[in-house]
Amino acid sequence: MESLLSLDDGRWLRPSDESCPPLNNEASNGPLMLGNIRQPSPPPVLAQIKPEVLPISPSRVADPRPGPAKPFVDGMPSSNSYQHLHIPVKMMQDFLRLAQENTAKNLETCGVLAGSLKNRMFHITTLIIPKQESTSDSCQTLNEEEIFEVQDKFSLFQLGWIHTHPSQTCFMSSVDLHTHYSYQIMLPEAIAIVMAPTDTSSPHGIFHLSDPGGVSVIRNCQQRGFHPHEEAEDGSPIYEHCSHVYMNQNLKFEVVDLR
């Protein structure tokens, strides 16, 4: 039986004496078989947007307190339209090692999360690191056709993206929210992972836009660059911790570094 840890609050990497959540045996013990899966070309990982006025610090206009993961009811999230999504346990730390050189220079690093669908569960099996240009608070992919080629070659779904905040806390900036919107409208289960190695209280977070509240706010927002957002009509946070994500210690993954 695989040992799976539900990620509903972003705290799984912290040392703790608390007992782990119940075991989940829904994941398959066999190797993951990649089927002939086709989908539209994915959006860029992060489009760098030049502000039209003086730059605003992303931490000043972001909501640093994402909403909590939706509670489970009878073993299913309250938004039961989400399929479970499994992440290899070691993938996030491996990504930090790949980003270490940029992090030391206070530059962001981004990557694409791709994988398969099996038994109505998504599995992240490939971490793609594209060619990119970075600043301390932005990351722009280059030669994006190379990302598409990898996904097409192995018939992979694009399941989300991951990026670092090398010197900031763990939150989704307004640019991050707009970036993730393009992923989530293609696949509701898509996730955004933020790795913040200098944030001792919350070194990582696995987020998505609240639906329908946050999705509606970003859909209707025409602003660019770092900017504040209005509150969702239903009063929900614009983004929240994911409740459909599981850490899977038996899930294998590959790294495709295109840099």
Side-chain angles (χ1 to χ4, degrees), residues 77-110:
S78 57
S79 178
N80 55 19
S81 61
Y82 295 134
Q83 306 292 343
H84 289 177
L85 187 149
H86 291 251
I87 301 176
V89 167
K90 296 181 180 180
M91 188 198 68
M92 292 159 68
Q93 290 303 318
D94 281 0
F95 174 72
L96 274 184
R97 283 191 285 271
L98 291 167
Q100 188 171 5
E101 183 177 347
N102 276 356
T103 301
K105 299 176 182 178
N106 194 28
L107 297 174
E108 284 195 3
T109 304
C110 60

Side-chain angles (χ1 to χ4, degrees), residues 130-150:
K131 293 181 177 67
Q132 53 197 267
E133 292 181 344
S134 305
T135 69
S136 61
D137 55 27
S138 68
C139 186
Q140 180 181 7
T141 59
L142 305 174
N143 298 353
E144 290 159 0
E145 66 278 1
E146 295 179 352
I147 303 173
F148 307 153
E149 289 173 359
V150 171

Side-chain angles (χ1 to χ4, degrees), residues 34-48:
L34 300 181
N36 294 323
I37 302 170
R38 300 285 176 174
Q39 63 172 1
S41 297
V45 172
L46 183 58
Q48 185 169 350

Side-chain angles (χ1 to χ4, degrees), residues 2 7 52 64 75 79 81 108-109 121 141 158 160 162 164 182 190 199 208 218 231 240 243:
E2 293 179 345
L7 274 188
E52 299 175 353
S79 178
S81 61
E108 284 195 3
T109 304
M121 289 183 290
T141 59
Q158 181 158 339
I162 183 170
T164 56
S182 62
D199 187 345
H208 66 169
I218 302 304
E231 183 176 304
E240 60 193 9
S243 61

